[in-house]
Amino acid sequence: MALFTIDNLRLRNILVRGRMPEEQAVEFAEALEDTLGPLAETSEVDRTVQRAVDQIKLDAAEREARLMQTIYLATAVILAGLAIASGVIIAFA
């Protein structure tokens, strides 16, 4: 995922319409692409964004695991309570 791309022909045409000589416009567009082109292909931003997304997913998975653990514990407590209540009812019935 590149942040931007450079359209040399369009840039050259804009510069020529702005009264820059065509030869200089071509040289400027090429120099700009040579300078900024590698930055457009740099995936450092992509890696940073991907790390952030991965961290968010990890945090969500951890929260879900804690929630499920709490639900299982609550279910176990309820079932234990029902078992004890049933035992008391059967014992005194």
Side-chain angles (χ1 to χ4, degrees):
M1 172 176 102
L3 292 176
F4 57 89
T5 58
I6 299 172
D7 184 351
N8 274 350
L9 181 61
R10 184 168 182 230
L11 178 60
R12 181 191 61 81
N13 288 339
I14 291 170
L15 294 174
V16 168
R17 279 193 309 254
R19 306 252 193 263
M20 180 180 274
E22 186 167 354
E23 185 177 311
Q24 287 179 348
V26 169
E27 287 178 22
F28 179 77
E30 288 174 357
L32 190 62
E33 181 178 27
D34 291 344
T35 303
L36 298 179
L39 294 176
E41 297 170 4
T42 299
S43 59
E44 182 61 35
V45 172
D46 294 340
R47 286 191 298 269
T48 302
V49 169
Q50 188 59 47
R51 281 193 301 267
V53 168
D54 291 343
Q55 185 62 44
I56 290 169
K57 287 179 181 179
L58 179 63
D59 292 344
E62 289 174 355
R63 274 192 305 275
E64 183 179 1
R66 285 193 303 269
L67 178 63
M68 293 306 295
Q69 187 177 21
T70 303
I71 290 171
Y72 292 150
L73 179 63
T75 302
V77 169
I78 291 170
L79 289 176
L82 287 174
I84 292 169
S86 297
V88 169
I89 292 172
I90 291 173
F92 293 107

